[in-house]
Amino acid sequence: MRESREMRAQTQKLVLHRLLSIAYPEYQNGMLNLVLLWLIVGICLLILPSCANLGGPAYQRPELPVKKEWSRGTSTAEAIRLDWWTAFGDPYLDSLIEKAIAQSIDLKILAARSEVAEVAIEQARAGALPTVNLGFGVNTQKVTGQSSTTQYNAASALNWELDIWGKFRKGVKAQTAAYKTTEADWRAGYLTLVSNVATSYFQIRQFDEQIQRQQAYLNQNEEILAIYESMHQEGLIPETQILQQKAEISRLNTGLLELHRLRTVTENALATLLGIPAGELQVPRSYLQDSVDIIGVPSGLPADLLSRRPDIIAAEYRILQAHELSGQAKLAKLPSITLTARGGTASFELTDLMKMWTFGIMPSINFPIFDPNINARIKVSKAEAKVAAEKYRRTVFQAFEEVENALTNLASRKEQKRELEQQIVDLKIVSDQIQAQLEEGLISQLQVFEIQRSLLAAELAMLSNYQQILSSTVTLYKALGGGWPKTNIQQSLQ
């Protein structure tokens, strides 16, 4: 640190020496300004060590409770594949996700914000650089009774505020943290996009299978209605039973129309995720349980979850940005040193404009004795840093909750799946027995329809459970950070 300060001071001396050489060809005539300049710089260099910590302490991550164990899993260092969704074994799903990543409007917006933040880093760096202006002018005057006169002039000016205390460097660090935040936001958006595409696709496939089963169920009830009508003509059942069956058929038709509506709406939502106008995406019909495999989850949960989830990383970078802005606000209380160099020429003849030049250089130091804006800015920056820290804590606790809920939901739905499987096995045995009794003439066709209705209801429940397991798996992978690599913010500061 000491060597870097000495090097910075030496560089500033060389720059000042060069400016003085330009401004004063006869160096001995400018000794007074030279002595004054060195005096100012010397004073600042003397007080620099005592002001080194006025920008605030080094960044430290806020203390948080460590999640060492999970209710339904153990911690591990096992990494998740970045393309984890390919394990579902559905090439069409893979193609949808690839298209969404390439065409998503939301991702493009996040990428554009990242570009803006990256360019803003150069804007922050520009504050520590000198500014040079060059101007030309013509002044024409006319006095009554005299001929007009025209004077030509040219002038240049250089202004440079020396970043002795590191005020501008703090701004660069703050903007760099803002850029890193947008990168993490893009990763979080990427993960949300993949999850939404997958769950929307699962829903469409579920609707396809529900529609097929609902149609089969409707056909069975129409057969039942035909049997009821024959029995009514023979006086075996009242007309009210026929009306009840017609009402059941109307209910099934309404449900079928609703399933078609939901499939179209979900397909439109999927099109928007893919950056395609709604109505132009046609997902081919297929059945969920035939297309998508249930996959396993990681054998253990990441021990470094806080360093992998993009939303947590973005929240911590926001703390870092607020920390640097707070330090920059504190440094504004220190004196500012500015170098101003001016040069110009004037002539009544354009051809003589460049023959004679005047130069001047003025170093100045400004002490902010009383500036309410500086104190107000310090208070605001401190408050904003506290807000960023609390938002970070909230994001971490939300992450813990999402992982725990995903684990609970997935485990519970897998247990439900086993119960539903057993229920379907039992109902199929009953259905086979009923069918055998029907062939022997021991029971009526209506009894067969009733057991088939119960079996169909169980199969629909099984289909819904299958979709819930897939969606819960996606939610868990998203909650675990979706395979993004570990990010060490402390190392990124070096």
Side-chain angles (χ1 to χ4, degrees), residues 380-400:
V380 170
S381 62
K382 287 183 178 179
E384 290 176 344
K386 291 180 180 179
V387 171
E390 294 305 323
K391 286 184 176 180
Y392 172 69
R393 293 187 179 92
R394 182 185 64 184
T395 303
V396 170
F397 278 99
Q398 286 178 343
F400 291 155

Side-chain angles (χ1 to χ4, degrees), residues 58-102:
Y59 169 76
Q60 294 291 334
R61 173 187 286 182
E63 293 185 4
L64 292 170
V66 179
K67 183 76 171 175
K68 296 181 180 179
E69 296 182 357
W70 303 88
S71 60
R72 297 177 182 266
T74 57
S75 296
T76 180
E78 179 183 357
I80 299 174
R81 287 180 51 183
L82 190 58
D83 59 345
W84 48 268
W85 58 85
T86 58
F88 288 114
D90 190 338
Y92 189 76
L93 172 61
D94 298 342
S95 67
L96 289 177
I97 292 178
E98 290 176 2
K99 185 177 294 185
I101 293 172

Side-chain angles (χ1 to χ4, degrees), residues 345-361:
T345 181
S347 174
F348 290 104
E349 297 293 337
L350 185 60
T351 56
D352 298 333
L353 183 62
M354 307 302 293
K355 291 184 177 180
M356 183 178 65
W357 283 80
T358 59
F359 296 94
I361 184 170

Side-chain angles (χ1 to χ4, degrees), residues 318-319 321-330 333 371-389:
R318 288 187 173 92
I319 297 178
Q321 179 186 9
H323 172 80
E324 298 296 345
L325 290 176
S326 178
Q328 186 183 45
K330 294 176 182 178
K333 300 183 71 173
D371 189 343
N373 290 327
I374 294 178
N375 293 328
R377 182 184 172 191
I378 292 174
K379 293 179 181 179
V380 170
S381 62
K382 287 183 178 179
E384 290 176 344
K386 291 180 180 179
V387 171

